[in-house]
Amino acid sequence: MAAANHEIVIESERSLRDVCRDIWHHRELIAFFAWRDFLVRYKQTAIGLAWSVITPLLTMVILTLIFGRLAALPSGDLPYPVLVLAAILPWQFFSTTLSTSSVSLISNRQMVSKVYFPRIIIPTTAMVVSLADFLISLGLLGGLMAWYGIAPSWRVAALAPLLLLAALTSLGAGYWISALNVRYRDFRHLVPLLLQLGLYLSPVGFSSAIVPERWRLLYSMNPMVGVIDGFRWAIAPETGAIYWPGFAGSVVLALALFVSGSLFFLRTERSFADLI
């Protein structure tokens, strides 16, 4: 009797629940990829992990000189270096995750074209590596706060959900761009430009309090505005109240970006192996 022919079709899942399930079920694979990428990032470097501290430190010095000294922008009750570094850390976490995840599928084209696994774990790995850098550089912020005699309050507990908000924002944008980059390679050139513009459009080197009141809500449509303002509010009791309407808008947009990015990635996943 002739053997029956069976056709096996691998389809992308199409719900947000499936995204979370795939990430959780493949958490060990994500950890392996993240450890591999983390080692490669600092392989054959003279100072290794110190780059996680040197990069935000130098950025803080430059932005403090430009905005704090030359432009003489106000910093409220916070010392200007603390104001800037509290924004640089979440911004660097976001920008590194986005820039790395946007090219992650192309960088792993051999695996994508030859081995089946949920492709969404590849850009997700970029966030895990950036998280490791963030946790290392967080010690720099703690040291700077101690230097200026700033003691954290109960608000510091809000750093975890704020970091989750930054992760969702960067992952959502990363899912969009990594999927688009498979078909349109122009996006690898567009991302650095967007991040450079975003650095100055986000309140990294200055306080968002200087934005006129009538523009605050519109300005907060940038999800990273809510994240950065939240970080500053969380680390120092001297920081004033958050602009809650804008923060709520940032949260909604971050969640919308993550959901839409995840669903778009899953809809286009089937074509990756053919296009890459």
Side-chain angles (χ1 to χ4, degrees):
M1 182 171 55
N5 293 324
H6 297 282
E7 181 180 2
I8 300 176
V9 179
I10 300 175
E11 294 185 326
S12 301
E13 304 290 352
R14 297 186 180 275
S15 72
L16 185 61
R17 180 180 179 181
D18 292 318
V19 173
C20 298
R21 184 196 63 190
D22 285 342
I23 291 175
W24 175 251
H25 284 177
H26 294 83
R27 58 191 182 278
E28 293 182 358
L29 184 58
I30 293 175
F32 172 79
F33 284 163
W35 179 247
R36 178 202 63 179
D37 293 347
F38 189 78
L39 292 179
V40 169
R41 176 177 296 185
Y42 296 109
K43 184 180 181 181
Q44 296 181 332
T45 57
I47 56 178
L49 293 178
W51 283 113
S52 298
V53 177
I54 292 176
T55 301
L57 178 62
L58 293 179
T59 307
M60 178 203 71
V61 171
I62 293 172
L63 293 181
T64 298
L65 289 175
I66 293 175
F67 293 103
R69 295 297 178 87
L70 298 180
L73 295 179
S75 63
D77 295 325
L78 280 179
Y80 215 95
V82 177
L83 177 87
V84 173
L85 188 59
I88 288 174
L89 296 190
W91 173 259
Q92 183 174 272
F93 172 73
F94 166 80
S95 62
T96 304
T97 300
L98 179 56
S99 61
T100 307
S101 62
S102 65
V103 296
S104 59
L105 294 174
I106 303 300
S107 301
N108 293 276
R109 59 169 61 89
Q110 295 298 326
M111 288 193 300
V112 172
S113 60
K114 296 181 179 180
V115 181
Y116 175 74
F117 55 90
R119 307 295 193 251
I120 203 164
I121 74 173
I122 295 181
T124 304
T125 298
M127 185 272 293
V128 179
V129 177
S130 299
L131 177 61
D133 281 335
F134 172 85
L135 294 176
I136 295 172
S137 58
L138 195 61
L140 176 62
L141 178 60
L144 190 65
M145 291 173 61
W147 175 265
Y148 283 102
I150 301 174
S153 68
W154 61 268
R155 294 180 182 179
V156 74
L159 287 179
L162 288 167
L163 183 60
L164 175 61
L165 184 62
L168 293 178
T169 303
S170 57
L171 284 176
Y175 292 158
W176 270 104
I177 297 178
S178 60
L180 288 169
N181 197 33
V182 172
R183 182 178 295 272
Y184 308 106
R185 302 301 168 88
D186 309 67
F187 281 91
R188 72 173 68 183
H189 306 292
L190 181 62
V191 170
L193 175 60
L194 292 177
L195 289 175
Q196 186 175 7
L197 292 174
L199 175 64
Y200 294 102
L201 292 176
S202 301
V204 178
F206 54 89
S207 171
S208 60
I210 69 173
V211 178
E213 189 67 27
R214 65 180 181 276
W215 300 111
R216 286 291 297 274
L217 186 59
L218 179 61
Y219 182 67
S220 298
M221 293 302 100
N222 172 0
M224 287 306 296
V225 171
V227 173
I228 292 171
D229 285 347
F231 261 74
R232 286 171 174 159
W233 176 85
I235 66 161
E238 295 85 357
T239 307
I242 296 179
Y243 178 63
W244 290 109
F247 182 79
S250 294
V251 171
V252 170
L253 286 174
L255 293 176
L257 185 61
F258 175 74
V259 172
S260 63
S262 300
L263 296 179
F264 177 76
F265 190 98
L266 294 180
R267 281 198 299 268
T268 57
E269 184 180 17
R270 288 185 62 186
S271 63
F272 289 168
D274 298 326
L275 296 173
I276 206 165

